[in-house]
Coordinates of all heavy atoms in Angstrom, one line a residue:
Chain B
Y81 N -24.5 -53.6 -21.5 CA -24.4 -54.3 -22.8 C -23.2 -55.3 -22.9 O -23.4 -56.3 -23.5 CB -24.1 -53.2 -23.9 CG -25.3 -52.2 -24.0 CD1 -25.1 -50.9 -24.4 CD2 -26.6 -52.6 -23.7 CE1 -26.1 -50.0 -24.5 CE2 -27.6 -51.7 -23.8 CZ -27.4 -50.4 -24.2 OH -28.4 -49.5 -24.3
R82 N -22.1 -55.0 -22.2 CA -21.0 -55.9 -22.3 C -21.3 -57.4 -21.8 O -21.1 -58.3 -22.5 CB -19.8 -55.4 -21.5 CG -18.6 -56.3 -21.6 CD -17.4 -55.6 -20.9 NE -17.1 -54.4 -21.6 CZ -15.9 -54.1 -22.2 NH1 -15.0 -55.0 -22.0 NH2 -15.7 -53.0 -22.8
P83 N -22.1 -57.5 -20.7 CA -22.4 -58.9 -20.2 C -23.3 -59.6 -21.2 O -23.4 -60.8 -21.1 CB -23.1 -58.7 -18.9 CG -22.7 -57.3 -18.4 CD -22.5 -56.5 -19.7
L84 N -24.0 -58.8 -22.1 CA -24.9 -59.4 -23.0 C -24.4 -59.6 -24.4 O -25.1 -60.0 -25.3 CB -26.2 -58.6 -23.1 CG -27.0 -58.5 -21.8 CD1 -28.1 -57.4 -21.9 CD2 -27.7 -59.8 -21.5
R85 N -23.1 -59.3 -24.6 CA -22.6 -59.1 -25.9 C -22.7 -60.4 -26.8 O -22.9 -60.4 -28.0 CB -21.2 -58.6 -25.9 CG -20.8 -58.0 -27.3 CD -19.8 -56.9 -27.1 NE -20.4 -55.8 -26.5 CZ -19.7 -54.8 -25.9 NH1 -18.4 -54.9 -25.7 NH2 -20.3 -53.8 -25.4
N86 N -22.6 -61.5 -26.1 CA -22.6 -62.8 -26.9 C -24.1 -63.3 -27.1 O -24.2 -64.4 -27.7 CB -21.8 -63.8 -26.2 CG -20.3 -63.4 -26.2 OD1 -19.9 -62.7 -27.2 ND2 -19.6 -63.6 -25.2
R87 N -25.0 -62.6 -26.6 CA -26.4 -63.1 -26.8 C -26.9 -62.6 -28.1 O -26.3 -61.8 -28.8 CB -27.3 -62.5 -25.6 CG -26.8 -62.8 -24.3 CD -27.3 -64.2 -23.8 NE -26.8 -64.4 -22.4 CZ -27.3 -63.7 -21.4 NH1 -28.3 -62.9 -21.6 NH2 -26.8 -63.9 -20.2
S88 N -28.2 -63.0 -28.3 CA -28.8 -62.6 -29.6 C -29.0 -61.1 -29.7 O -29.1 -60.4 -28.6 CB -30.1 -63.3 -29.8 OG -31.0 -62.9 -28.9
G89 N -29.2 -60.5 -30.9 CA -29.5 -59.1 -31.0 C -30.7 -58.7 -30.3 O -30.8 -57.6 -29.8
V90 N -31.7 -59.6 -30.3 CA -33.0 -59.3 -29.7 C -32.8 -58.9 -28.2 O -33.4 -58.0 -27.7 CB -34.0 -60.4 -29.8 CG1 -35.4 -60.0 -29.4 CG2 -34.0 -61.0 -31.2
T91 N -32.0 -59.7 -27.5 CA -31.8 -59.5 -26.1 C -31.2 -58.1 -25.9 O -31.6 -57.4 -25.0 CB -30.8 -60.6 -25.6 OG1 -31.3 -61.8 -25.9 CG2 -30.7 -60.5 -24.1
L92 N -30.2 -57.8 -26.7 CA -29.6 -56.4 -26.5 C -30.6 -55.3 -26.8 O -30.6 -54.3 -26.1 CB -28.4 -56.3 -27.5 CG -27.1 -56.9 -26.9 CD1 -26.1 -57.0 -28.0 CD2 -26.5 -55.9 -25.8
L93 N -31.4 -55.6 -27.8 CA -32.5 -54.6 -28.1 C -33.4 -54.3 -26.9 O -33.6 -53.2 -26.6 CB -33.3 -55.2 -29.2 CG -33.9 -54.4 -30.3 CD1 -32.8 -53.7 -31.0 CD2 -34.7 -55.3 -31.3
V94 N -33.8 -55.4 -26.3 CA -34.7 -55.2 -25.1 C -33.9 -54.6 -24.0 O -34.5 -53.7 -23.3 CB -35.3 -56.6 -24.7 CG1 -36.2 -56.4 -23.5 CG2 -36.1 -57.1 -25.9
A95 N -32.7 -55.0 -23.8 CA -31.9 -54.4 -22.7 C -31.7 -52.9 -23.0 O -31.8 -52.1 -22.0 CB -30.5 -55.1 -22.7
S96 N -31.5 -52.5 -24.2 CA -31.3 -51.1 -24.5 C -32.6 -50.3 -24.2 O -32.6 -49.1 -23.8 CB -30.8 -50.8 -25.9 OG -31.9 -51.0 -26.8
M97 N -33.8 -51.0 -24.4 CA -35.0 -50.3 -24.0 C -35.1 -50.1 -22.5 O -35.5 -49.1 -22.0 CB -36.2 -51.2 -24.5 CG -37.5 -50.5 -24.4 SD -37.7 -48.9 -25.1 CE -38.5 -49.2 -26.6
G98 N -34.6 -51.1 -21.8 CA -34.6 -51.0 -20.3 C -33.7 -49.8 -19.9 O -34.0 -49.0 -19.0
V99 N -32.5 -49.7 -20.5 CA -31.6 -48.7 -20.2 C -32.3 -47.3 -20.5 O -32.2 -46.4 -19.7 CB -30.3 -48.8 -21.1 CG1 -29.5 -47.5 -21.0 CG2 -29.5 -50.0 -20.7
A100 N -33.0 -47.3 -21.6 CA -33.6 -46.0 -22.0 C -34.6 -45.6 -20.9 O -34.6 -44.4 -20.5 CB -34.3 -46.2 -23.3
I101 N -35.4 -46.5 -20.5 CA -36.4 -46.2 -19.5 C -35.8 -45.7 -18.2 O -36.1 -44.7 -17.5 CB -37.4 -47.4 -19.3 CG1 -38.2 -47.5 -20.5 CG2 -38.3 -47.1 -18.0 CD1 -39.0 -48.8 -20.6
A102 N -34.7 -46.5 -17.8 CA -34.1 -46.2 -16.5 C -33.4 -44.8 -16.6 O -33.6 -44.0 -15.6 CB -33.0 -47.2 -16.2
L103 N -32.7 -44.5 -17.7 CA -32.1 -43.2 -17.8 C -33.1 -42.0 -17.8 O -32.9 -41.0 -17.1 CB -31.2 -43.1 -19.0 CG -29.9 -43.9 -19.0 CD1 -29.1 -43.7 -20.3 CD2 -29.0 -43.4 -17.8
E104 N -34.1 -42.2 -18.6 CA -35.1 -41.1 -18.7 C -35.7 -40.8 -17.3 O -35.9 -39.6 -17.0 CB -36.2 -41.5 -19.7 CG -37.1 -40.3 -20.0 CD -38.3 -40.7 -20.9 OE1 -38.1 -41.3 -21.9 OE2 -39.4 -40.3 -20.5
N105 N -35.9 -41.8 -16.6 CA -36.5 -41.6 -15.3 C -35.6 -41.1 -14.2 O -36.0 -40.5 -13.2 CB -37.3 -42.8 -14.8 CG -38.6 -42.9 -15.6 OD1 -39.5 -42.2 -15.4 ND2 -38.6 -43.8 -16.6
L106 N -34.3 -41.5 -14.4 CA -33.3 -40.8 -13.5 C -33.3 -39.3 -13.7 O -33.3 -38.5 -12.7 CB -31.9 -41.3 -13.9 CG -31.4 -42.5 -13.2 CD1 -30.0 -43.0 -13.7 CD2 -31.2 -42.2 -11.7
V107 N -33.4 -38.9 -15.0 CA -33.5 -37.5 -15.3 C -34.8 -36.9 -14.6 O -34.8 -35.9 -13.9 CB -33.6 -37.2 -16.8 CG1 -34.0 -35.8 -17.1 CG2 -32.2 -37.5 -17.4
R108 N -35.9 -37.6 -14.7 CA -37.2 -37.1 -14.1 C -37.0 -37.0 -12.6 O -37.5 -36.1 -12.0 CB -38.3 -38.1 -14.4 CG -38.9 -37.9 -15.8 CD -40.1 -38.8 -16.0 NE -40.3 -39.0 -17.4 CZ -41.0 -38.2 -18.2 NH1 -41.5 -37.1 -17.7 NH2 -41.2 -38.5 -19.4
L109 N -36.3 -38.0 -12.0 CA -36.2 -38.0 -10.6 C -35.4 -36.8 -10.1 O -35.8 -36.2 -9.1 CB -35.5 -39.3 -10.2 CG -35.3 -39.5 -8.7 CD1 -36.6 -39.6 -7.9 CD2 -34.5 -40.8 -8.4
F110 N -34.3 -36.5 -10.8 CA -33.5 -35.4 -10.3 C -33.9 -34.0 -10.8 O -33.7 -33.0 -10.1 CB -32.0 -35.7 -10.6 CG -31.4 -36.7 -9.8 CD1 -31.1 -38.0 -10.4 CD2 -31.2 -36.6 -8.5 CE1 -30.6 -39.0 -9.6 CE2 -30.7 -37.6 -7.7 CZ -30.3 -38.8 -8.3
A111 N -34.5 -34.0 -12.0 CA -34.7 -32.7 -12.6 C -36.2 -32.3 -12.7 O -36.6 -31.2 -13.0 CB -34.1 -32.6 -13.9
G112 N -37.1 -33.3 -12.4 CA -38.5 -33.0 -12.5 C -39.0 -33.0 -13.9 O -38.2 -33.3 -14.8
N113 N -40.3 -32.8 -14.1 CA -40.9 -32.9 -15.4 C -41.0 -31.6 -16.2 O -41.3 -31.6 -17.3 CB -42.3 -33.5 -15.3 CG -42.2 -35.0 -14.8 OD1 -41.2 -35.7 -15.1 ND2 -43.1 -35.4 -14.0
S114 N -40.7 -30.5 -15.5 CA -41.0 -29.2 -16.2 C -39.9 -28.9 -17.2 O -38.8 -29.2 -17.0 CB -41.2 -28.1 -15.2 OG -40.1 -28.2 -14.2
P115 N -40.3 -28.2 -18.3 CA -39.3 -27.9 -19.3 C -38.4 -26.8 -18.9 O -38.8 -25.9 -18.1 CB -40.2 -27.4 -20.5 CG -41.5 -27.2 -20.0 CD -41.7 -27.9 -18.7
R116 N -37.2 -26.8 -19.3 CA -36.2 -25.8 -19.0 C -35.5 -25.3 -20.2 O -35.7 -25.9 -21.3 CB -35.1 -26.4 -18.1 CG -35.6 -26.8 -16.7 CD -34.8 -28.0 -16.2 NE -35.5 -28.6 -15.1 CZ -35.4 -28.1 -13.8 NH1 -34.7 -27.1 -13.5 NH2 -36.1 -28.7 -12.8
S117 N -34.7 -24.2 -20.1 CA -33.9 -23.8 -21.2 C -32.6 -23.3 -20.8 O -32.4 -22.9 -19.6 CB -34.7 -22.7 -22.1 OG -35.1 -21.7 -21.2
F118 N -31.6 -23.3 -21.7 CA -30.3 -22.9 -21.4 C -30.2 -21.4 -21.1 O -31.1 -20.6 -21.5 CB -29.3 -23.2 -22.5 CG -29.1 -24.7 -22.7 CD1 -29.5 -25.3 -23.9 CD2 -28.5 -25.4 -21.7 CE1 -29.2 -26.7 -24.0 CE2 -28.3 -26.8 -21.8 CZ -28.6 -27.4 -23.0
D119 N -29.1 -21.0 -20.5 CA -28.9 -19.6 -20.1 C -28.2 -19.0 -21.3 O -26.9 -18.9 -21.3 CB -28.1 -19.5 -18.8 CG -27.8 -18.1 -18.4 OD1 -28.5 -17.2 -19.0 OD2 -26.9 -17.9 -17.6
V120 N -28.9 -18.5 -22.3 CA -28.2 -17.9 -23.4 C -29.0 -16.6 -23.8 O -30.2 -16.5 -23.5 CB -28.2 -18.7 -24.7 CG1 -27.1 -19.8 -24.6 CG2 -29.5 -19.4 -24.9
A121 N -28.3 -15.6 -24.3 CA -28.9 -14.4 -24.7 C -29.8 -14.6 -25.9 O -29.5 -15.4 -26.8 CB -27.9 -13.3 -25.1
V122 N -30.9 -13.9 -26.0 CA -31.8 -14.0 -27.1 C -31.3 -13.0 -28.2 O -31.0 -11.9 -27.9 CB -33.3 -13.6 -26.7 CG1 -34.2 -13.7 -27.9 CG2 -33.7 -14.5 -25.6
A123 N -31.2 -13.5 -29.4 CA -30.7 -12.6 -30.5 C -31.7 -12.6 -31.6 O -32.5 -13.4 -31.8 CB -29.4 -13.2 -31.0
R124 N -31.6 -11.5 -32.3 CA -32.5 -11.3 -33.5 C -32.1 -12.2 -34.6 O -30.9 -12.5 -34.8 CB -32.1 -9.9 -34.0 CG -33.2 -9.0 -34.4 CD -32.6 -7.6 -34.6 NE -33.4 -6.6 -33.8 CZ -34.6 -6.3 -34.0 NH1 -35.3 -6.9 -35.0 NH2 -35.3 -5.4 -33.3
P125 N -33.0 -12.7 -35.4 CA -32.6 -13.5 -36.6 C -31.8 -12.7 -37.6 O -32.1 -11.5 -37.8 CB -33.9 -14.1 -37.1 CG -35.0 -13.3 -36.5 CD -34.5 -12.6 -35.3
L126 N -30.9 -13.4 -38.3 CA -30.2 -12.8 -39.4 C -31.0 -12.9 -40.6 O -31.8 -13.8 -40.8 CB -28.8 -13.5 -39.6 CG -28.0 -13.7 -38.3 CD1 -26.8 -14.6 -38.7 CD2 -27.5 -12.4 -37.8
R127 N -30.8 -11.9 -41.5 CA -31.5 -12.0 -42.8 C -30.6 -11.9 -44.0 O -29.6 -11.1 -44.0 CB -32.5 -10.8 -42.9 CG -33.7 -11.0 -42.1 CD -34.7 -9.8 -42.2 NE -35.8 -10.0 -41.3 CZ -36.8 -10.8 -41.5 NH1 -36.9 -11.5 -42.6 NH2 -37.7 -11.0 -40.6
F128 N -30.7 -12.8 -44.9 CA -30.0 -12.8 -46.2 C -31.0 -12.7 -47.3 O -31.6 -13.8 -47.6 CB -29.1 -14.1 -46.3 CG -28.2 -14.3 -45.2 CD1 -28.5 -15.2 -44.2 CD2 -27.0 -13.7 -45.2 CE1 -27.6 -15.4 -43.1 CE2 -26.1 -13.9 -44.1 CZ -26.4 -14.7 -43.1

Side-chain angles (χ1 to χ4, degrees):
Chain B
Y81 299 151
R82 182 172 297 237
L84 292 170
R85 198 150 290 158
N86 296 323
R87 306 274 182 74
S88 69
V90 193
T91 309
L92 275 165
L93 213 59
V94 176
S96 74
M97 187 53 101
V99 170
I101 290 167
L103 285 180
E104 189 186 311
N105 285 287
L106 269 174
V107 168
R108 282 185 201 275
L109 181 62
F110 287 111
N113 292 327
S114 46
R116 295 151 193 274
S117 49
F118 290 117
D119 177 18
V120 281
V122 181
R124 220 170 235 294
L126 309 170
R127 285 182 183 280
F128 303 97

